[in-house]
Amino acid sequence: MKLNKIKEEMKEIRKYIDEFKLDKNVLDKWEMLVQIKQKILAETEKLRKDKIIGSNLESSLIIKYGSNYEKALTDIDLLNIVFGSWDIKLEKSDTADEISVIAGKSSYGKCNRCWRHIDGINEDGLCQRCADAIKE
């Protein structure tokens, strides 16, 4: 699996923290994101196998997380890109080390231009980002 290779590469990158002055907090955040992405891929693969979704763009994700993961989940725009879904809901858990994912088919409309399933599709079938891009 590609993410296992990425995880191994993250271990290699950690060796260079001192040498290249890489920020340990940034690396910790990305390790958490990779761990969460693995859980997401496991769940969305089941949906693809059952032909419920064709790609992550069609998925709805509920990520339940404990306080240990809070710093990794602060930027929803980053999460949308990293996890490949624009229908992400975050739920805080009382258990500090909990991280779980529930995946389903998004109820949001699909943008005719970028294919993202996102809230706020206009009457032309476009998301706000695509509508703004066409205006220019």
Side-chain angles (χ1 to χ4, degrees), residues 13-22:
I13 290 170
R14 283 199 160 287
K15 295 177 185 177
Y16 299 101
I17 291 173
D18 293 330
E19 184 177 346
F20 295 108
K21 308 290 187 252
L22 297 175

Side-chain angles (χ1 to χ4, degrees), residues 102-115:
I102 299 171
K105 185 169 178 68
S106 178
S107 62
Y108 291 156
K110 177 180 176 180
C111 176
N112 292 330
R113 184 171 179 261
C114 69
W115 298 3

Side-chain angles (χ1 to χ4, degrees), residues 45-91:
E45 186 57 35
K46 293 174 194 172
L47 297 175
R48 275 192 288 279
K49 183 179 177 186
D50 293 339
K51 302 199 183 300
I52 295 169
I53 64 170
S55 76
N56 280 9
L57 291 173
E58 298 176 53
S59 68
S60 168
L61 304 172
I62 299 171
I63 302 170
K64 189 168 185 178
Y65 67 96
S67 59
N68 291 353
Y69 291 88
E70 197 160 8
K71 290 182 182 176
L73 298 171
T74 56
D75 183 350
I76 192 68
D77 293 330
L78 176 64
L79 300 180
N80 293 145
I81 293 167
V82 172
F83 300 151
S85 173
W86 275 257
D87 187 354
I88 298 175
K89 291 167 186 61
L90 301 174
E91 294 182 2

